[in-house]
Amino acid sequence: MKSGVLLLAVLMLSVNLKAQTIDQGKTLLYYEKYKSAKAAFEKLVAANPNDVDAVYWLGQTMIMPDDKTAKDVADAKALYQKTLLANSNSPLLLAGIGHIELLEGKDQDARNHFETAISLSQSKSVPVLNAVGFANVNAKDGDAAYAIDKLKIATAVKKMNDPDVYVNLGDAYKKTGDGGQAQIAYEAALALNPKYARASYRIGKIYQTQGANQEEIYMKYYNEAIAKDPAYAPVYENLYNLYYTTDVPKSAQYLDKFLANTDDNPKNCYLRASILYAQALFADALKKADECIGSDPAPYPKLFGIKAYAYNKLKDSVNAKASFEKYFQAADTSIIGMGDYSTYASVLLKFPGNDSIAGKYVDKAVALDTLETNKVNYLKSMAASYEAQKKYKEAADWYSKVISVKRAPGKVDLYNAGFNYFRVASYDAAINVFNQYSQKYPDDAFGYYMAAKSKWGIDSTMAQALANADFEKTISVGMVDSVKYKPQVIGSYKYFVAYYANVKKDNAKAIEYCDKILSLDPADAEAASNKEALQKPARPAAPPKTPAKPAKPAKKN
């Protein structure tokens, strides 16, 4: 009897120790100390490879970081699949596999695994429902509405007391753009645990996304998060990034606090070099980056990127180009940003013959960026480069891309594309752009005028009268404000002077148009000269001249 009680006590202690260790690892994940959390779960898995809880969380340490690589995802997948061989009905591991599949873009496979996991746990397992919800929030292609549905079920489970569920629910609402419901969910997490800094931090993020005019509000919540838990590193990292371009000294202070409360890893060395770059200490940033690279057999890839940026600022294009190439070679594409591609493109343009390669990188930057202003700036840099080389057709193509990415392209955007097509006689393309101009700005004579000139370029003899209607429209619209549109109206009148004089042989009509020109500009010498010539009576045909006598043949020597 005593031995049985002793065995039961040992088993209970073992379970408690396991739970304590799992909780310790999850706490490290809460602080986003991925390296330490991974080490903690690796010990548990090494002790028991079939510990599905430890395996699930170990996989999460691989796929949670923002700078995770394709290899990290593949390693987590292999871990889950291996453990599932002996634990095929583990709901938590099936949820983990679904998470991996979302990251791989296999949405339907992921959904099937999520539904199986929920069914096996009879929709009553908070960890499983939370895992499904988190996966759909965390993965770019995850279904936020689906996450909301499953997380709400989790909150209704009897004795549910995990604030992480409510924070994930808030993140799901935030992903749908519903900041109000997101804040309610975060506040529910704080009701369960008033010291849960992650929830206060997330409320601050809602207001941060609304712009700098909300700084007083979001800083209130960030400071609350710090007060609740001064060791909560994510808030410091966020503030370091927030002030990186606007208040570098403040950014540096938050970076120091972040580094003091996070795992030591190669990325930290990059951050130290990065803040030197932000302080315009470009030579120091290069020195620090080289120190970091030299001290690590597998340096953080972005160190090569910071070197590239620093060399570029120091106007050393050769080393900037070389450093960017090392960066792109070493880094997983998931951590390469649009600014990296666009800056590399600007460096490439400094080397003749690299225009097309630079263009490919600009296209990558545009595809990644979500801000219209940034997309436009990337594209305009390419257009300006081609314009400077007098490659107007290529410039027009890039300006056309500006039109395609802007929700509301303006007159200058349309002009830049249309005029560059016009100047290289790509008349059909020019007409298309200037027709867009006129459709958007029907009271502006310029669009009709340039479409008319482009059609005149196609019908250079005026025999088909292709440009007539557009020149007439230019005049009717332009005469509403003949001062503003004087050049376009006069240009249209001059077309009709030539058309009636040369094609229709109607001098009287041509003279009418000369008079119209002179009424707007009495000093127009060309119109006055043309009118005088048109008023002269036609001369009778001259009699044929007597043919000259042929020259005598030259004498032979």
Side-chain angles (χ1 to χ4, degrees):
M1 185 73 174
K2 287 182 179 179
S3 63
V5 172
L6 180 62
L7 177 60
L8 180 61
V10 170
L11 287 172
M12 290 179 65
L13 178 63
S14 175
V15 170
N16 288 336
L17 287 173
K18 175 197 168 183
Q20 183 180 15
T21 309
I22 289 283
D23 286 342
Q24 287 172 345
K26 288 169 67 176
T27 298
L28 291 168
L29 272 181
Y30 167 79
Y31 286 107
E32 298 187 9
K33 294 184 176 182
Y34 300 115
K35 181 180 176 182
S36 297
K38 185 178 181 183
F41 291 123
E42 282 176 338
K43 287 181 181 178
L44 284 173
V45 173
N48 181 6
N50 288 314
D51 183 343
V52 294
D53 289 337
V55 168
Y56 169 77
W57 287 110
L58 176 57
Q60 291 297 294
T61 67
M62 301 176 189
I63 62 177
M64 277 190 189
D66 291 337
D67 59 350
K68 61 182 171 290
T69 65
K71 183 179 183 304
D72 294 326
V73 175
D75 288 347
K77 181 178 182 179
L79 173 68
Y80 287 158
Q81 287 177 328
K82 178 182 176 182
T83 312
L84 272 168
L85 291 174
N87 303 273
S88 59
N89 290 325
S90 166
L92 197 56
L93 290 182
L94 290 170
I97 281 289
H99 192 163
I100 297 292
E101 288 166 338
L102 280 183
L103 296 176
E104 294 176 329
K106 301 175 182 176
D107 298 359
Q108 190 54 56
D109 290 343
R111 180 62 63 88
N112 292 339
H113 277 115
F114 292 144
E115 287 297 314
T116 301
I118 293 169
S119 177
L120 286 170
S121 57
Q122 299 179 337
S123 299
K124 295 180 180 179
S125 171
V126 171
V128 170
L129 291 165
N130 195 35
V132 170
F134 176 75
N136 280 275
V137 173
N138 180 259
K140 179 181 177 182
D141 296 328
D143 186 337
Y146 182 72
I148 290 169
D149 179 52
K150 303 311 172 189
L151 290 165
K152 287 174 73 174
I153 294 172
T155 64
V157 173
K158 189 175 181 180
K159 295 183 180 180
M160 201 294 291
N161 62 352
D162 186 355
D164 187 58
V165 174
Y166 279 112
V167 171
N168 288 333
L169 178 59
D171 289 349
Y173 277 120
K174 187 170 181 289
K175 190 172 183 177
T176 67
D178 191 340
Q181 287 297 322
Q183 184 165 348
I184 290 171
Y186 296 142
E187 288 171 348
L190 289 169
L192 285 177
N193 181 357
K195 294 292 185 181
Y196 204 68
R198 182 176 170 227
S200 295
Y201 166 56
R202 286 292 207 272
I203 296 174
K205 289 288 284 184
I206 294 174
Y207 291 97
Q208 183 183 330
T209 59
Q210 295 174 12
N213 62 327
Q214 299 294 317
E215 182 175 12
E216 183 178 349
I217 299 176
Y218 62 68
M219 284 306 301
K220 169 183 175 289
Y221 286 105
Y222 291 153
N223 288 328
E224 278 185 10
I226 293 168
K228 292 175 190 297
D229 189 349
Y232 188 67
V235 68
Y236 299 128
E237 183 180 25
N238 178 71
L239 290 167
Y240 149 73
N241 288 317
L242 177 63
Y243 290 109
Y244 185 79
T245 57
T246 59
D247 191 336
V248 176
K250 187 180 287 188
S251 175
Q253 290 174 9
Y254 284 119
L255 176 60
D256 288 340
K257 292 179 179 179
F258 169 69
L259 294 174
N261 288 282
T262 193
D263 282 338
D264 186 26
N265 61 55
K267 181 180 178 180
N268 294 357
C269 204
Y270 156 76
L271 293 174
R272 293 185 177 96
S274 177
I275 200 67
L276 291 171
Y277 173 86
Q279 293 168 323
L281 301 172
F282 305 124
D284 291 341
L286 282 170
K287 182 180 178 181
K288 185 63 181 179
D290 282 332
E291 287 177 5
C292 297
I293 291 168
S295 64
D296 192 332
Y300 188 64
K302 281 196 170 185
L303 286 163
F304 297 107
I306 210 68
K307 287 186 64 176
Y309 280 96
Y311 277 126
N312 191 41
K313 288 292 186 180
L314 293 170
K315 302 189 183 305
D316 185 343
S317 301
V318 173
N319 277 312
K321 181 174 179 289
S323 295
F324 267 121
E325 288 165 356
K326 285 184 180 179
Y327 172 40
F328 294 150
Q329 183 180 7
D332 188 272
T333 54
S334 62
I335 68 171
I336 300 174
M338 48 273 184
D340 301 329
Y341 289 131
S342 64
T343 306
Y344 180 50
S346 70
V347 171
L348 284 173
L349 290 173
K350 297 174 183 176
F351 297 88
N354 282 286
D355 296 337
S356 61
I357 301 173
K360 291 178 181 178
Y361 282 99
V362 166
D363 284 335
K364 287 184 177 184
V366 170
L368 281 177
D369 212 316
T370 57
L371 295 178
E372 181 183 290
T373 301
N374 291 345
K375 291 174 182 278
V376 169
N377 288 338
Y378 303 149
L379 296 169
K380 282 186 175 180
S381 69
M382 286 300 302
S385 173
Y386 279 116
E387 263 190 312
Q389 300 173 63
K390 298 185 178 180
K391 295 181 178 179
Y392 301 122
K393 169 62 168 61
E394 291 82 355
D397 289 339
W398 284 98
Y399 281 128
S400 291
K401 290 184 180 184
V402 171
I403 295 170
S404 69
V405 302
K406 290 189 78 169
R407 288 186 295 272
K411 292 182 180 181
V412 173
D413 302 314
L414 294 162
Y415 169 81
N416 285 336
F419 183 68
N420 277 290
Y421 280 130
F422 175 79
R423 72 203 305 188
V424 290
S426 291
Y427 296 125
D428 286 331
I431 291 166
N432 179 56
V433 175
F434 287 119
N435 282 343
Q436 292 179 57
Y437 189 110
S438 297
Q439 288 166 9
K440 187 166 187 180
Y441 304 104
D443 297 327
D444 188 329
F446 185 77
Y448 305 111
Y449 181 67
M450 289 304 300
K453 290 190 70 174
S454 300
K455 290 178 181 179
W456 191 4
I458 295 171
D459 181 20
S460 58
T461 65
M462 304 182 240
Q464 301 175 63
L466 291 182
N468 288 32
D470 287 288
F471 277 124
E472 287 167 356
K473 186 68 174 178
T474 303
I475 294 167
S476 66
V477 172
M479 284 304 291
V480 174
D481 188 346
S482 61
V483 175
K484 179 179 180 180
Y485 295 113
K486 179 179 173 181
Q488 289 76 38
V489 173
I490 287 179
S492 301
Y493 286 154
K494 288 184 175 181
Y495 167 85
F496 283 116
V497 170
Y499 174 73
Y500 282 107
N502 299 323
V503 177
K504 290 298 187 178
K505 309 299 182 184
D506 187 343
N507 285 9
K509 194 73 173 175
I511 290 170
E512 282 183 28
Y513 279 102
C514 288
D515 288 335
K516 292 182 183 207
I517 295 169
L518 294 169
S519 69
L520 290 176
D521 184 3
D524 192 305
E526 180 185 352
S529 176
N530 284 336
K531 180 178 180 180
E532 182 180 353
L534 289 165
Q535 286 176 330
K536 290 181 180 179
R539 295 180 181 179
K545 294 181 179 179
T546 304
K549 294 181 180 180
K552 293 181 180 180
K555 292 181 180 180
K556 293 182 179 179
N557 292 332

